[in-house]
Amino acid sequence: MEEPGQLKRAFIDAAAGAIAGGISRTVTSPLDVIKIRFQVQLEPTTSWALLRRDVHGQSKYTGMLQATKDIFREEGLPGFWRGNVPALLMVMPYTAIQFTVLHKLKTFAAGSSKSEDHIHLSPYLSFVSGALAGCAATVGSYPFDLLRTLLASQGEPKVYPKMRSAFLDIIRTRGFQGLYAGLSPTLVEIIPYAGLQFGTYDMFKRWTMAWNQYRSSNANLTGTDSISSFQLFLCGFAAGTCAKAVCHPLDVVKKRFQIEGLPRDPKYGARVEHRAYTNMYDALRQILLVEGWAGLYKGIVPSIIKSAPAGAVTFVAYEFTSDWLESMVT
C-alpha cells in the first residue's frame, strides 16, 4: 500500500494530465483531421508532385488550404472535429498515465518527489523517463487511437456512423488484435518521440531558468529563476516541434496500418487494402518505393503546426492544473 502522500501525488498527476490532454486535443483537432487525411492518402499531397510524369490519378487533397476548404464544404464545421470523442477517450487516459508514470520514474531517479528537483535530472534520465512513460500510456490507450483514426479518415459518406459501429466492425473483421493494429510502429515511434519531447522540454526549462537568473543578476534585482507562463509555452512549443520532426514517418506508417481495409468513398483516392503491408519495415519500404521520401512526410506541415502548440498547451495546462490541484488538496 502506498503512503497517502504518494496516492495524492498520483491523483494530482493523473487529473492534471487528463485535463491538459483534453484541452490540447480539442483545441488542435482541426489540424489533426487534416494531418490524418494527408497521411492515409496514397496519392501525392502536394500540387507540384502531380506534375511528375510518373504520377497518375487525381489527388483529393493537395495542400492545407485546399484541404481545409474541401472538408468545410463537404462536411461542414463538425468535420474538423470528426473522431474527437474517441480522441478524447484516447488522449485523456494517455496523458493521465503518461504524467503519472513520468513523475514516478523521475521521483525514483532523483530520490525526491519534488518537481523542482526533477528539472535537474540529466538529459539521459529525462529522455529514458519520457520514453518509458510514453510506452505505458500508448499501450493503455491505443484502441481509442485506432478508432479516432478511422473516424477522422473516413470522410463522407460515413463508413461508420458512430464509434460503437467502428468498434464492433473491427472485432468482427479483424478480431480483438485488430484494436492494436499498428501498435508496433507506434511503440517504435513513441520511444524517441516521448523521450525527445520530455527530454528537450526539461532542457529548454533549464536553459530558461539559467537565462532568467542571469538576467536578474545583471539587473541587480533579487534574483529569481522562476519561469513565466509564456516561457513555459515556448519551451513546450520547441519540444513538440523537435519530437514531431524526427518521428513523423513512423506516424504515417501507423496510420496506414490503422485504416487498412477501410472501404471509404473512391473520391478520397486509392484505398489501403487489407494486409497491404506485412510489417513495419515492409510498409516503410513500399511507401518509399511507390510514393518516395515525400510519402513518408505526408502531413508533416499540419502535423508540426498542430504538435508544436499541442505540446505547448499540454505542458502549460499541466503545470497550472497540477499547481492548482496541489493547492486544493494540501
Side-chain angles (χ1 to χ4, degrees):
M1 176 69 72
E2 293 185 70
E3 297 294 326
Q6 293 177 307
L7 290 172
K8 187 187 295 182
R9 184 69 246 182
F11 166 77
I12 291 171
D13 290 329
I19 293 169
I23 293 171
S24 176
R25 180 60 185 78
T26 302
V27 168
T28 58
S29 178
L31 289 166
D32 197 52
V33 169
I34 295 172
K35 180 201 74 168
I36 290 173
R37 297 289 175 92
F38 282 172
Q39 288 179 320
V40 302
Q41 179 173 290
L42 303 185
E43 294 78 14
T45 56
T46 54
S47 53
W48 64 265
L50 296 173
L51 301 176
R52 289 168 42 194
R53 293 181 179 178
D54 59 328
V55 173
H56 301 281
Q58 184 67 33
S59 291
K60 173 65 175 174
Y61 303 117
T62 57
M64 277 196 65
L65 183 59
Q66 178 267 331
T68 302
K69 289 179 178 177
D70 269 20
I71 293 172
F72 183 72
R73 185 181 68 251
E74 296 171 0
E75 305 169 46
L77 199 58
F80 292 105
W81 276 268
R82 178 141 312 155
N84 195 49
V85 172
L88 287 173
L89 292 174
M90 180 271 291
V91 167
M92 294 181 75
Y94 178 93
T95 48
I97 295 169
Q98 187 178 45
F99 280 105
T100 303
V101 173
L102 182 71
H103 193 274
K104 286 289 184 185
L105 291 171
K106 285 187 171 183
T107 297
F108 175 77
S112 169
S113 62
K114 295 180 179 178
S115 299
E116 53 266 29
D117 294 329
H118 296 173
I119 195 65
H120 300 296
L121 284 175
S122 70
Y124 171 75
L125 287 174
S126 292
F127 179 93
V128 171
S129 298
L132 292 175
C135 286
T138 297
V139 174
S141 60
Y142 190 80
F144 293 109
D145 185 21
L146 183 138
L147 291 169
R148 178 275 305 256
T149 300
L150 287 174
L151 295 179
S153 63
Q154 63 183 341
E156 291 285 349
K158 295 178 182 178
V159 180
Y160 304 116
K162 296 181 180 178
M163 183 173 64
R164 181 174 178 273
S165 59
F167 174 80
L168 292 175
D169 188 62
I170 292 169
I171 295 295
R172 181 179 58 82
T173 58
R174 300 198 230 175
F176 179 77
Q177 66 270 23
L179 294 172
Y180 286 88
L183 179 61
S184 295
T186 304
L187 289 175
V188 172
E189 174 202 6
I190 205 63
I191 291 173
Y193 181 79
L196 279 171
Q197 188 179 36
F198 284 101
T200 55
Y201 180 67
D202 286 346
M203 180 180 68
F204 290 137
K205 280 182 70 176
R206 284 194 297 271
W207 288 354
T208 304
M209 290 167 66
W211 164 251
N212 287 348
Q213 199 168 36
Y214 170 78
R215 189 177 58 178
S216 61
S217 62
N218 277 359
N220 294 320
L221 300 173
T222 304
T224 177
D225 58 0
S226 61
I227 304 177
S228 69
S229 56
F230 180 68
Q231 288 175 326
L232 284 174
F233 183 88
L234 290 179
C235 289
F237 192 95
T241 301
C242 292
K244 181 53 69 175
V246 172
C247 304
H248 188 78
L250 290 169
D251 192 41
V252 172
V253 170
K254 178 185 80 171
K255 294 295 190 295
R256 296 292 177 88
F257 274 110
Q258 288 180 329
I259 68 143
E260 63 177 12
L262 178 67
R264 62 179 187 166
D265 194 281
K267 70 182 178 183
Y268 292 97
R271 300 172 182 172
V272 179
E273 299 298 335
H274 189 53
R275 301 192 185 282
Y277 311 117
T278 55
N279 51 46
M280 183 178 64
Y281 171 76
D282 180 57
L284 285 168
R285 184 181 62 83
Q286 285 197 49
I287 293 171
L288 190 59
L289 286 175
V290 177
E291 304 169 50
W293 282 101
L296 294 174
Y297 285 91
K298 283 179 174 176
I300 185 65
V301 174
S303 182
I304 287 182
I305 293 174
K306 173 229 169 186
S307 295
V313 170
T314 299
F315 282 121
V316 172
Y318 171 78
E319 301 263 8
F320 275 88
T321 306
S322 178
D323 290 343
W324 177 72
L325 287 172
E326 198 163 358
S327 68
M328 293 288 289
V329 300
T330 54

